[in-house]
Amino acid sequence: MSVPDYMQCAEDHQTLLVVVQPVGIVSEENFFRIYKRICSVSQISVRDSQRVLYIRYRHHYPPENNEWGDFQTHRKVVGLITITDCFSAKDWPQTFEKFHVQKEIYGSTLYDSRLFVFGLQGEIAEQARTDVAFYPNYEDCQMVEKRIEDFIESLFIVLESKRLDRATDKSGDKIPLLCVPFEKKDFVGLDTDSRHYKKRCQGRMRKHVGDLCLQAGMLQDSLVHYHMSVELLRSVNDFLWLGAALEGLCSASVIYHYPGGTGGKSGARRFQGSALSAEAANRHRPGALTTSGINPDTSTEIGRAKNCLSPEDIIDKYKEAISYYSKYKNAGVIELEACIKAVRVLAIQKRSMEASEFLQNAVYINLRQLSEEEKIQRYSILSELYELIGFHRKSAFFKRVAAMQCVAPSIAEPGWRACYKLLLETLPGYSLSLDPKDFSRGTHRGWAAVQMRLLHELVYASRRMGNPALSVRHLSFLLQTMLDFLSDQEKKDVTQSLENYTSKCPGTMEPIALPGGLTLPPVPFTKLPIVRHVKLLNLPASLRPHKMKSLLGQNMSTKSPFIYSPIIAHNRGEERSKKIDFQWVQGDVCEVQLMVYNPMPFELRVENMGLLTSGVEFESLPAALSLPAESGLYPVTLVGVPQTTGTITVNGYHTTVFGVFSDCLLDDLPGIKTSGSTVEVIPALPRLQISTSLPRSAHSLQPSSGDEISTNVSVQLYNGESQQLIIKLENIGMEPLEKLEVTSKVLTTKDGISVSGFPLSSPFRQVVRPRVEGKPVNPPESSKAGDCSHVKTLEAVLNFKYSGGPGHTEGYYRNLSLGLHVEVEPSVFFTRVSTLPASSTRQCHLLLDVFNSTEHELTVSTRNSEVLILHAGECQRMAIQVDKFNFESFPESPGEKGQFANPKQLEEERREARGLEIHSKLGIRWRIPSLKRSGEASVEGLLNQLVLEHLQLAPLQWDVLVDGQPCDREVAAACQVGNPVRLEVRLTNRSPRSVGPFALTVVPFQDHQNGVHNYDLHDTVSFVGSSTFYLDAVQPSSQSACLGALLFLYTGDFFLHIRFHEDSTSKELPPSWFCLPSVHVRAVEVQA
Amino acid sequence: MAVCVAVIAKENYPLYIRSTPTENELKFHYMVHTSLDVVDEKISAMGKALVDQRELYLGLLYPTEDYKMFRKLHNSYTDVMCNPFYNPGDRIQSRAFDNMVTSMMIPVC
């Protein structure tokens, strides 16, 4: 016997073996249909007793195993059922013949046999035969089960007769020696009369009867027989049979103790009848005993409880039996099966350690050279048994060996499918699930070396199965979960083969369903590359949307009437934690920055990397990147365009690496840092692009400026120089521009430079060209300090606020800022300023010391004076004759200035205005011919109070008219000798109060041009009327005049000195207010 | 002399494994892995029996091993665990432990 039945279990000892086989050509489908029905009749309660018969059906049984039927009767084929097709009466004899041939095979042991004929009808079928049953077809055969029951009953009758026959063998009769096939030759020529031999015959026969009793449902009897047999055989050292007797004892005890069975699957089925079997056997024992006819004394001596082994004893006896079996090489199958049966018993007893010892022993039993299929079966069953005793790793180990056996090189047609299936079954044993999520939390905890091996094998098996998608999935899983354990070379190899597979079958995110019901979840490559940080980026400053201020209040207060409520605060806090407080704009490219790194020892090419979003229709613009080997953190920006508005959530990203598509969700990534992933998308807005006539500069404004400047221009200017800047705004967005607001802001600079405002023009055109004039002015302190060579900077910001389209209706706008950076180099300085009175009271001379601080030759010109040339670093004085200024007329002009209540500020304003006035009057310009640059120079800053007073027109304006001609020149007024000359003194009061009355005396004199003034002119000049004039009080801003007349008696040049009477002048008024022009009169002869 | 020394975490993965014939390391991996079934069994049996919890030595997997070897190994393992820079659950990379294992693997004669 060489073919072990790995499915054997202890309770099989009580079964009758019936072989069911097809004869002739019977389709497998039909055969198994009938076979199944036959198998359903597995236990029969015998009609006239309470005993139960158990039947074991086999459709295949090696006849050589049948030869061991005497050794253990459950191995003996006692029944044969043949199934055949026969459609015509003509074939019938032939069919029947075949049946007989089939019977011959097991002929020696058969108790009875049956032939089931399907298809035959007619007179042959009419005949009633016990051994043949006819059925018209495979459907119409309700009587099959009944037939089988009858058949089993007939088997029982034979069995019972045999049992009785053997049991009642008189001791006088010669008991035949039962033996196993390989023993036969050993007993040739043995003394059959020896006591020893007889005992051996008796012992073996007892054992045989025990077997029969067990099969016949007489458990207690069998125990008795086995016990006796053990005694007999032990005394003659018949070890093989002693082993069998012990095993019989064990089997019977197991059946008694474990009515549920030890065989696992079949156990449930058996269970229904099992209660009955144990109970019934006990209850009916006395009756059974009497019918059995065994020597009554033995059965009474050995009590029931004694007969049956305790659970512990069962194992001991099994051990003993196996040790006896192991003495015989030819009994390997028996030993192996005994081991398996013992393991099943131990599994029930939950004694895993001992079970493992039995199994270990079974592993070492070498039968003969096994066929590949037998090896697979052997390993599978070992695996199952290890599983049974809870040794999952060992089970997995053997299952894997079995799987490998399926595809051993010696097999012509490797069973890759079976191999793959078996490998999948080993997964739990290696604590490996195929769901990458189980590995994503924390570090990998598992036996990487063996798990990796298994994954490699799965990959290979699935490839050989012709399922590349499966290989890709397994390989991806290997790469994803075992990355930390792969050596650099392995990483290369794995990725290489992955790329090979994916070139034919790209990896997807679809779960793969396996035929066995297992589903392989997708494997996203969250480690290729590893993402450490995800940050949603705000739009660039120039594109950032802002909410109109007026609308801001709306969405804040509508929700609740309370200003503060802890509940609301809590909710908001929660929202805020996820939602980022900036907005994206529909239709505009939005960015998400990922910090990634490549854990691979080679360059990693990531293709088709894009964002996975929800909430808003989003057009992702995938990027391809190449990360250098084992890169550090590497920023990657993923972009996309939201197509609709609402709240967008960035859930993750997708990649294609090595041909595998991955959707990596942020929630599944361990150790990722994210500052929120939800952002609001607002409706589309127009988009302006700015370009300027000046080149852009990298120079950014001081960080303290607070504004985010999108564009910067920078220019270098000399102090006083102007530069025109043309700004072109272009709407490059899809939405119309509906509103544009331009504002400017000068940032206070460290150097205290002030600038005149930007004149801006036409803000309501699509393209505006404001003229910007930066006009830095000399700071006052620079005249004192020596830092005049110091370059100063000026910074200013131009803001374009614009909106349009749907975003405008929602109340959003954008702000575009242009930063201006001006470096101001010094040009000319006025180091000193002073005044000299001019000949006219309405004028004076301004003396300026001009210093050229540039390195170039420079010309300075005023509105009406000649050009002054200054060499580099040269200082010259220039005198400018200026009309005096009437400051009082304008200081209040800008209405808003009135707001300043502070008189100091008011004074400051006034002073500034005066400066401007003076500046524009003077119109001092400089020019650097070599550079072709020119600009203005201003004296504003350095005009001190004294100079200002000198430059100022007195509020009381005195005019002297000679003959109706105003007389305030060098030029002399001409008059005729002998004719009275009208002299009029006119006072205009521009001061805010009334002045006067005044008394004036006109004193004529002659200037001899040698320093001598001749006042003694009584003979030459005569007054018509009084020489003293009186002026009444003059109200503010009104005029008053007094008239007189002079008569020149001789020709000559005369000067009139108009003097105030001491007593009439108001003491409180400053003397400069009473500055009257001197009058020059030339008296000539009357031309006749 | 030991052929293979392994320290296994309670989650059943190797903290440390080293074998002298380096060419067939996987064989030892399988061997150690499958033997864990027995360890599991022994531990669960221990829980039932309520034996002295201080006795950490579970017994022999194969009858050729040396009890002293376990003490040595366990003491060294304790030292590793006492290292404040060692994260329980990480692979053991201690040089001292490694040297001790090497000394166990050198043939005694």
Side-chain angles (χ1 to χ4, degrees):
Chain A
M1 188 163 81
S2 58
V3 184
D5 179 358
Y6 292 103
M7 301 310 291
Q8 283 242 332
C9 46
E11 57 269 29
D12 282 346
H13 281 254
Q14 66 177 336
T15 59
L16 289 168
L17 180 60
V18 173
V19 171
V20 183
Q21 281 182 325
V23 172
I25 303 148
V26 178
S27 78
E28 203 165 280
E29 188 198 342
N30 285 335
F31 171 74
F32 278 102
R33 214 154 91 195
I34 300 301
Y35 181 73
K36 235 179 230 168
R37 293 182 63 175
I38 292 170
C39 286
S40 67
V41 190
S42 64
Q43 59 187 62
I44 292 278
S45 290
V46 183
R47 212 184 303 149
D48 58 345
S49 72
Q50 297 289 327
R51 290 185 279 173
V52 178
L53 279 188
Y54 295 94
I55 319 295
R56 191 157 50 107
Y57 296 97
R58 287 283 181 276
H59 52 85
H60 176 79
Y61 194 71
E64 51 169 327
N65 282 14
N66 198 21
E67 288 167 21
W68 285 70
D70 283 340
F71 183 68
Q72 285 174 326
T73 54
H74 71 283
R75 298 181 187 279
K76 192 184 276 188
V77 180
V78 295
L80 176 71
I81 299 167
T82 46
I83 293 163
T84 189
D85 278 340
C86 185
F87 297 106
S88 70
K90 211 167 54 186
D91 298 334
W92 168 241
Q94 204 186 337
T95 308
F96 197 62
E97 185 56 32
K98 277 186 192 159
F99 169 54
H100 279 290
V101 172
Q102 197 72 23
K103 264 203 312 201
E104 285 307 304
I105 299 172
Y106 306 106
S108 59
T109 59
L110 285 183
Y111 293 175
D112 202 354
S113 56
R114 286 289 183 275
L115 173 64
F116 286 3
V117 186
F118 289 89
L120 198 66
Q121 278 165 319
E123 59 181 281
I124 297 165
E126 300 295 313
Q127 55 184 308
R129 295 180 59 137
T130 48
D131 59 340
V132 184
F134 296 97
Y135 298 101
N137 52 54
Y138 287 98
E139 281 76 35
D140 191 14
C141 51
Q142 293 86 354
M143 294 298 283
V144 167
E145 285 85 355
K146 184 77 193 62
R147 276 274 182 174
I148 298 294
E149 279 174 30
D150 292 347
F151 172 63
I152 289 162
E153 260 172 50
S154 83
L155 290 181
F156 173 72
I157 291 162
V158 180
L159 174 71
E160 190 68 359
S161 73
K162 285 211 178 220
R163 185 183 66 81
L164 290 170
D165 184 35
R166 296 278 159 86
T168 53
D169 274 346
K170 298 291 171 285
S171 50
D173 297 349
K174 190 159 188 180
I175 302 169
L177 178 72
L178 299 169
C179 51
V180 294
F182 73 87
E183 281 179 326
K184 274 174 186 148
K185 57 181 186 297
D186 300 345
F187 294 118
V188 176
L190 218 71
D191 179 10
T192 55
D193 290 330
S194 70
R195 219 182 127 80
H196 190 266
Y197 183 81
K198 272 184 187 155
K199 260 198 166 172
R200 175 181 290 204
C201 290
Q202 274 181 341
R204 290 190 178 187
M205 187 51 80
R206 277 283 168 202
K207 194 256 159 207
H208 183 67
V209 175
D211 281 355
L212 292 175
C213 287
L214 192 60
Q215 282 186 309
M218 299 165 71
L219 186 87
Q220 294 299 335
D221 290 52
S222 72
L223 284 168
V224 174
H225 287 292
Y226 285 136
H227 272 295
M228 286 163 69
S229 167
V230 167
E231 293 303 312
L232 286 165
L233 293 169
R234 208 188 282 282
S235 63
V236 293
N237 289 338
D238 188 1
F239 293 122
L240 184 64
W241 285 75
L242 175 57
L246 287 167
E247 198 193 339
L249 201 54
C250 292
S251 302
S253 303
V254 168
I255 291 162
Y256 178 78
H257 282 295
Y258 309 106
T262 59
K265 290 165 220 158
S266 52
R269 179 169 55 86
R270 280 212 176 100
F271 192 75
Q272 296 151 357
S274 58
L276 184 118
S277 70
E279 289 298 302
N282 286 334
R283 218 182 303 133
H284 297 279
R285 195 176 162 274
L289 262 182
T290 48
T291 49
S292 68
I294 299 170
N295 228 347
D297 56 348
T298 54
S299 58
T300 44
E301 271 172 42
I302 308 162
R304 262 184 279 166
K306 259 187 183 172
N307 290 343
C308 190
L309 298 175
S310 71
E312 287 74 30
D313 284 345
I314 292 171
I315 302 310
D316 288 342
K317 291 289 181 276
Y318 260 124
K319 262 184 202 158
E320 195 184 342
I322 288 161
S323 73
Y324 295 142
Y325 289 149
S326 65
K327 293 180 197 288
Y328 301 90
K329 204 167 171 255
N330 290 312
V333 172
I334 305 292
E335 186 190 350
L336 182 64
E337 289 182 3
C339 284
I340 290 170
K341 285 178 240 184
V343 168
R344 293 195 203 277
V345 174
L346 282 166
I348 295 273
Q349 295 182 349
K350 304 217 184 316
R351 289 157 74 180
S352 306
M353 287 301 287
E354 284 162 288
S356 80
E357 278 166 34
F358 277 97
L359 261 182
Q360 196 69 44
N361 186 46
V363 171
Y364 290 123
I365 297 168
N366 271 318
L367 298 174
R368 62 205 149 85
Q369 196 60 42
L370 291 173
S371 74
E372 302 296 343
E373 201 173 324
E374 282 170 321
K375 279 186 193 163
I376 296 165
Q377 199 193 359
R378 185 184 159 97
Y379 293 131
S380 304
I381 211 77
L382 281 171
S383 160
E384 260 172 50
L385 289 169
Y386 271 119
E387 187 70 49
L388 196 65
I389 62 170
F391 280 26
H392 303 290
R393 298 178 191 84
K394 268 234 156 74
S395 167
F397 178 83
F398 279 106
K399 194 147 266 176
R400 193 188 140 264
V401 173
M404 291 296 109
Q405 201 63 52
C406 291
V407 292
S410 54
I411 294 179
E413 275 183 40
W416 288 106
R417 230 162 253 286
C419 170
Y420 181 77
K421 192 174 163 293
L422 287 170
L423 283 176
L424 278 185
E425 287 170 17
T426 67
L427 289 170
Y430 291 109
S431 339
L432 192 63
S433 87
L434 291 179
D435 190 348
K437 281 196 180 105
D438 296 342
F439 292 84
S440 63
R441 309 263 172 243
T443 48
H444 176 79
R445 296 279 158 100
W447 201 295
V450 288
Q451 289 176 341
M452 246 154 65
R453 178 68 184 216
L454 177 61
L455 286 172
H456 271 297
E457 282 160 356
L458 277 173
V459 169
Y460 192 70
S462 54
R463 186 172 77 90
R464 296 297 300 260
M465 262 163 68
N467 194 337
L470 217 49
S471 327
V472 168
R473 181 59 49 88
H474 286 309
L475 208 49
S476 311
F477 182 84
L478 172 68
L479 198 57
Q480 164 74 15
T481 59
M482 300 290 164
L483 193 65
D484 300 343
F485 302 98
L486 291 168
S487 69
D488 284 0
Q489 187 55 43
E490 282 171 325
K491 281 179 188 168
K492 266 179 208 162
D493 295 345
V494 168
T495 49
Q496 182 69 48
S497 47
L498 182 58
E499 277 178 312
N500 284 345
Y501 291 145
T502 52
S503 64
K504 288 162 220 144
C505 176
T508 63
M509 281 303 287
E510 298 300 315
I512 299 176
L514 294 175
L518 194 70
T519 307
L520 294 186
V523 182
F525 277 149
T526 55
K527 288 186 181 171
L528 297 171
I530 297 176
V531 174
R532 270 291 133 82
H533 201 114
V534 176
K535 190 182 172 194
L536 276 66
L537 297 184
N538 201 346
L539 292 171
S542 61
L543 295 178
R544 226 166 270 174
H546 302 273
K547 191 89 177 159
M548 300 277 187
K549 280 225 170 66
S550 55
L551 294 165
L552 201 72
Q554 274 186 355
N555 49 359
M556 273 183 49
S557 54
T558 46
K559 279 179 187 168
S560 162
F562 300 109
I563 294 168
Y564 173 78
S565 151
I567 302 155
I568 289 170
H570 177 71
N571 287 345
R572 273 188 198 154
E574 218 168 42
E575 263 173 49
R576 203 170 294 145
S577 66
K578 289 217 93 180
K579 200 160 176 175
I580 308 172
D581 61 349
F582 57 73
Q583 290 99 19
W584 281 352
V585 179
Q586 175 193 3
D588 275 5
V589 173
C590 302
E591 296 179 323
V592 174
Q593 194 184 54
L594 308 178
M595 295 305 283
V596 303
Y597 81 85
N598 171 16
M600 295 306 235
F602 46 83
E603 189 182 290
L604 182 68
R605 283 201 53 74
V606 183
E607 278 152 20
N608 191 34
M609 191 166 189
L611 293 170
L612 295 172
T613 58
S614 64
V616 162
E617 205 179 298
F618 190 76
E619 186 196 348
S620 178
L621 307 171
L625 48 133
S626 180
L627 298 169
E630 297 191 354
S631 66
L633 274 185
Y634 205 85
V636 172
T637 306
L638 297 180
V639 296
V641 181
Q643 303 290 355
T644 54
T645 61
T647 302
I648 190 169
T649 306
V650 174
N651 300 319
Y653 59 93
H654 62 81
T655 58
T656 306
V657 181
F658 309 128
V660 178
F661 296 101
S662 306
D663 287 348
C664 307
L665 298 179
L666 298 184
D667 291 346
D668 295 342
L669 298 180
I672 194 164
K673 281 185 208 148
T674 169
S675 48
S677 54
T678 305
V679 136
E680 201 190 335
V681 178
I682 63 144
L685 283 169
R687 204 157 76 213
L688 284 189
Q689 196 180 48
I690 193 165
S691 54
T692 61
S693 57
L694 286 172
R696 283 183 177 216
S697 81
H699 202 293
S700 58
L701 298 191
Q702 320 163 3
S704 62
S705 63
D707 297 85
E708 300 214 42
I709 311 295
S710 46
T711 315
N712 278 298
V713 291
S714 110
V715 64
Q716 179 269 324
L717 291 174
Y718 282 105
N719 199 348
E721 194 176 353
S722 357
Q723 171 79 47
Q724 197 183 47
L725 175 66
I726 296 167
I727 297 163
K728 193 172 151 200
L729 293 174
E730 199 178 336
N731 185 0
I732 54 168
M734 304 302 288
E735 301 300 329
L737 184 88
E738 290 166 31
K739 191 179 167 188
L740 179 69
E741 214 177 295
V742 185
T743 52
S744 66
K745 181 166 125 188
V746 179
L747 308 173
T748 45
T749 58
K750 340 181 231 291
D751 300 311
I753 295 178
S754 64
V755 73
S756 59
F758 301 101
L760 300 169
S761 59
S762 62
F764 272 90
R765 277 162 52 196
Q766 281 273 62
V767 174
V768 290
R769 287 159 190 261
R771 215 178 119 264
V772 182
E773 211 172 16
K775 195 159 63 169
V777 179
N778 245 354
E781 60 263 45
S782 67
S783 58
K784 301 171 213 155
D787 63 344
C788 41
S789 63
H790 187 212
V791 175
K792 297 175 182 70
T793 53
L794 164 80
E795 287 176 344
V797 181
L798 262 179
N799 279 315
F800 302 90
K801 233 162 110 175
Y802 62 95
S803 187
H808 183 226
T809 39
E810 289 282 312
Y812 286 97
Y813 66 90
R814 272 178 167 153
N815 201 359
L816 185 65
S817 301
L818 175 69
L820 284 174
H821 177 89
V822 186
E823 281 189 0
V824 185
E825 285 190 41
S827 50
V828 288
F829 286 107
F830 300 104
T831 54
R832 229 183 110 224
V833 66
S834 55
T835 47
L836 275 179
S839 50
S840 157
T841 55
R842 298 285 174 91
Q843 285 185 327
C844 73
H845 291 285
L846 191 65
L847 300 179
L848 297 166
D849 288 358
V850 192
F851 175 68
N852 175 9
S853 62
T854 68
E855 290 165 354
H856 307 276
E857 195 182 83
L858 173 128
T859 61
V860 180
S861 60
T862 61
R863 186 148 292 159
N864 42 22
S865 78
E866 76 290 358
V867 173
L868 183 74
I869 296 170
L870 282 170
H871 298 289
E874 195 182 5
C875 187
Q876 278 193 36
R877 175 167 295 188
M878 69 188 292
I880 310 162
Q881 189 179 10
V882 285
D883 292 335
K884 283 192 177 178
F885 300 95
N886 180 8
F887 295 131
E888 304 299 330
S889 58
F890 53 78
E892 302 295 333
S893 57
E896 55 192 275
K897 297 265 165 77
Q899 292 168 352
F900 295 108
N902 191 342
K904 213 169 188 182
Q905 267 178 329
L906 209 68
E907 183 55 36
E908 197 61 36
E909 289 288 322
R910 206 172 281 176
R911 197 188 169 105
E912 202 173 286
R914 283 177 206 162
L916 270 175
E917 169 80 6
I918 294 164
H919 172 74
S920 61
K921 266 268 175 63
L922 292 177
I924 306 172
R925 295 192 61 79
W926 52 263
R927 214 176 109 76
I928 302 173
S930 60
L931 296 177
K932 296 207 166 99
R933 294 173 74 161
S934 61
E936 299 172 24
S938 171
V939 292
E940 275 171 74
L942 47 146
L943 294 172
N944 52 33
Q945 191 59 44
L946 193 70
V947 174
L948 275 176
E949 253 170 46
H950 283 193
L951 284 175
Q952 193 173 5
L953 270 176
L956 299 185
Q957 191 181 329
W958 302 91
D959 294 287
V960 180
L961 291 93
V962 178
D963 253 353
Q965 300 298 312
C967 185
D968 188 24
R969 299 280 145 76
E970 301 288 314
V971 187
C975 59
Q976 289 172 331
V977 174
N979 284 345
V981 177
R982 200 147 49 90
L983 185 70
E984 185 180 352
V985 177
R986 204 182 275 168
L987 169 65
T988 312
N989 181 9
R990 293 201 178 146
S991 76
R993 53 164 148 182
S994 74
V995 291
F998 302 109
L1000 303 150
T1001 307
V1002 178
V1003 183
F1005 67 94
Q1006 267 188 315
D1007 186 1
H1008 289 184
Q1009 304 275 332
N1010 56 359
V1012 178
H1013 289 184
N1014 179 19
Y1015 286 94
D1016 186 21
L1017 295 173
H1018 296 289
D1019 301 333
T1020 45
V1021 182
S1022 159
F1023 283 89
V1024 182
S1026 167
S1027 65
T1028 303
F1029 300 173
Y1030 292 98
L1031 271 172
D1032 285 336
V1034 185
Q1035 294 305 311
S1037 67
S1038 60
Q1039 259 186 354
S1040 177
C1042 53
L1043 287 167
L1046 282 165
L1047 185 68
F1048 293 96
L1049 305 176
Y1050 298 96
T1051 59
D1053 277 13
F1054 299 92
F1055 292 91
L1056 300 177
H1057 185 77
I1058 303 169
R1059 245 181 8 205
F1060 287 89
H1061 284 238
E1062 292 264 320
D1063 53 332
S1064 67
T1065 53
S1066 311
K1067 287 285 191 290
E1068 63 269 27
L1069 295 175
S1072 63
W1073 287 28
F1074 304 99
C1075 180
L1076 268 81
S1078 63
V1079 183
H1080 185 189
V1081 183
R1082 179 169 291 156
V1084 292
E1085 286 286 350
V1086 183
Q1087 306 280 310
Chain B
M1 166 204 173
V3 184
C4 174
V5 172
V7 179
I8 313 296
K10 71 174 192 303
E11 292 89 358
N12 288 330
Y13 64 92
L15 292 175
Y16 182 91
I17 186 160
R18 189 143 153 247
S19 52
T20 26
T22 43
E23 63 273 9
N24 203 353
E25 213 175 320
L26 195 65
K27 193 185 98 184
F28 287 107
H29 273 280
Y30 275 119
M31 208 176 270
V32 177
H33 182 252
T34 50
S35 67
L36 290 183
D37 282 327
V38 177
V39 176
D40 269 0
E41 189 59 38
K42 289 204 169 185
I43 289 169
S44 68
M46 221 168 79
K48 268 182 266 166
L50 272 173
V51 288
D52 185 4
Q53 294 288 314
R54 280 168 298 178
E55 179 50 70
L56 298 166
Y57 185 56
L58 288 174
L60 305 167
L61 293 177
Y62 284 93
T64 48
E65 282 192 45
D66 187 358
Y67 184 60
K68 270 187 190 159
M69 205 177 253
F70 173 76
R71 277 268 157 268
K72 247 167 94 181
L73 187 71
H74 192 262
N75 286 342
S76 189
Y77 173 71
T78 312
D79 290 347
V80 171
M81 288 297 146
C82 291
N83 178 0
F85 298 104
Y86 175 78
N87 249 341
D90 285 358
R91 289 183 160 206
I92 295 173
Q93 280 160 334
S94 152
R95 205 178 305 142
F97 188 80
D98 211 42
N99 291 339
M100 204 278 308
V101 171
T102 313
S103 73
M104 281 168 65
M105 285 177 156
I106 292 167
V108 185
C109 57

